[in-house]
Amino acid sequence: MSPESEADTPGEATLPGTLPDTLRAELVAFRRDLHMHPELGNQEFRTTAAIKERLERTGLKPRVLPVGTGLVCDIGTDSRQWSGGPRMLALRADIDALPIPDTKNECAYRSQVPDRAHACGHDVHTTVVLGTGLVLAALHEQGLLPRPVRLVFQPAEEVLPGGAADAIEGGALDGVRRILAVHCDPRVDAGKIGLRVGPITSACDRMEIALNGPGGHTARPHLTTDLVTAAARVATDVPALVARRVDSRSGLALTWGRIESGHAPNVIPQHAELAGTVRCLDLDAWRQAPDLVMGAIDEIANLYRAKSEITYVRGVPPVVNEVTSTELLQAAMVARRGTDAVESTEQSLGGEDFSWYLEHVPGAMARLGVRPPGERTVRDLHQGDFDVDEHAITVGVEMFTAAALIDAVQ
């Protein structure tokens, strides 16, 4: 989709950091290049190299994370004007793609990698933070950047428990006082953002279950462990059982994505497998979830004399937007585009490893509108036809630059 040019909006006349047309076009081209060359988590070598080269070309000194992909880059830390050391604002982007095919057959920048697609908007997140870095570097050269800023390009957000932990271990938060992020939202028009104080995403864990027992002939199920029935009862009864053992306001939900067992219609198998996710709106309930879920699985499996082996992979807690950081994003967006450009948003059941940063420093995530205004068809996240109105790149960059300028005087 073509980028949309807009007239000046509220605040642009007095607040520096708006995008010139040449940079706007470059960023759209950069995003399309990433879209054509998606890379999975911890494999983002080309993506990392492209970001690094562009930052170095403007005189910055990015540092690749110890895991080999992703990088951080500081802007303004070379200045001697800061008192008491830098108190940095960090801006985070995730850089990985998804293992699904790109189905946008008529799109010129469709993915060129089979079964790989930027179907969650990470190419947009990356381009927004890169563009912000280029604008802030220019402001710093002019003496207009009041405080240093760190760019964090994080790998492997789609891989539980997420690459945020590796970034943090690699020093991404050293010297950082606040961190901000955006996530594409196809339900919000380009030119707007969605904000919410408190939880804006949910906790997400992954679970795999193996059920085992002696199989046999379907004519004599009483002499076997009927694993097909056992698996079916685990699939249906465990979510209902868990729902009665936790406060319903926590939104704890167990959903299956895979169930497999057996090969012949007259043979009761010896093995069955289930896999799914556990999602939760509430942080306290998420902390109880493993014991609750695994206990319920064992109870149901035991009723059918099946032995259960459970692999419970801790994912991410909810992203909980801190008040001041949320207000900073709102102030930045209002300064650029006016009060009508900010709308409230609901808590999503999706998981996001940005939450791990918020265990260490305050911060907030905004939902960046990417829907073309007036379009009724929603190209949802994690679908092969997902795409964005690229005007969102300009909106994201100008919001983040405004946030960096406003944060420095708070």
Side-chain angles (χ1 to χ4, degrees), residues 262-274:
H263 300 283
N266 62 342
V267 178
I268 294 175
Q270 298 179 348
H271 183 73
E273 294 181 358
L274 301 92

Side-chain angles (χ1 to χ4, degrees), residues 150-170:
R150 173 168 294 162
L151 314 178
V152 179
F153 297 92
Q154 176 214 303
E157 189 276 332
E158 297 287 354
V159 182
L160 289 178
D166 290 330
I168 294 168
E169 186 175 346

Side-chain angles (χ1 to χ4, degrees), residues 67-106:
V67 292
T69 61
L71 61 158
V72 297
C73 184
D74 295 343
I75 303 169
T77 52
D78 57 333
S79 176
R80 297 182 178 180
Q81 73 185 67
W82 322 127
S83 59
R87 299 168 59 247
M88 283 183 286
L89 172 72
L91 306 173
R92 175 268 201 173
D94 36 11
I95 66 174
D96 57 327
L98 286 162
I100 64 175
D102 189 333
T103 60
K104 300 189 299 296
N105 294 325
E106 304 301 320

Side-chain angles (χ1 to χ4, degrees), residues 268-407:
I268 294 175
Q270 298 179 348
H271 183 73
E273 294 181 358
L274 301 92
T277 59
V278 178
R279 300 179 186 273
C280 188
L281 301 174
D282 178 73
L283 185 59
D284 289 336
W286 176 70
R287 291 180 174 135
Q288 303 172 38
D291 290 340
L292 285 171
V293 172
M294 289 190 289
I297 292 168
D298 286 338
E299 284 185 38
I300 301 301
N302 289 337
L303 288 175
Y304 293 89
R305 296 178 295 178
K307 295 182 179 180
S308 61
E309 298 176 7
I310 306 169
T311 301
Y312 195 103
V313 180
R314 261 322 210 181
V316 293
V319 172
V320 181
N321 281 351
E322 182 258 345
V323 174
T324 303
S325 301
T326 308
E327 291 173 345
L328 173 61
L329 286 168
Q330 179 170 345
M333 193 64 176
V334 169
R336 294 298 193 196
R337 312 230 158 231
T339 56
D340 290 343
V342 180
E343 59 184 54
S344 60
T345 190
E346 298 177 345
Q347 182 179 6
S348 165
L349 275 171
E352 234 291 354
D353 74 352
F354 182 67
S355 54
W356 291 122
Y357 298 101
L358 305 187
E359 297 283 303
H360 301 271
V361 296
M365 170 177 282
R367 299 204 178 280
L368 180 66
V370 296
R371 180 178 62 193
E375 183 173 304
R376 294 186 178 182
T377 301
V378 176
R379 300 185 182 189
D380 202 6
L381 302 172
H382 290 216
Q383 298 291 326
D385 66 347
F386 177 75
D387 205 355
V388 305
D389 185 326
E390 291 167 320
H391 177 56
I393 296 171
T394 297
V395 175
V397 170
E398 294 187 351
M399 179 184 69
F400 270 166
T401 55
L405 298 173
I406 296 170
D407 181 62

Side-chain angles (χ1 to χ4, degrees), residues 136-147:
L136 292 178
L139 291 177
H140 178 54
E141 286 295 316
Q142 301 169 48
L144 297 176
L145 183 64
R147 283 286 176 187

Side-chain angles (χ1 to χ4, degrees), residues 180-249:
L180 305 176
V182 293
H183 197 294
C184 289
D185 192 335
R187 301 165 302 170
V188 178
D189 286 349
K192 297 184 177 184
I193 63 167
L195 285 178
R196 173 187 176 91
V197 174
I200 194 171
T201 69
S202 300
C204 180
D205 299 337
R206 188 180 73 241
M207 183 174 53
E208 296 180 357
I209 305 164
L211 298 176
N212 298 287
H217 202 291
T218 56
R220 291 175 288 278
H222 60 288
L223 300 180
T224 72
T225 294
D226 187 354
L227 284 181
V228 173
T229 299
R233 299 307 299 188
V234 167
T236 57
D237 290 355
V238 169
L241 191 60
V242 169
R244 290 296 178 267
R245 295 182 176 178
V246 68
D247 190 327
S248 59
R249 292 171 294 183

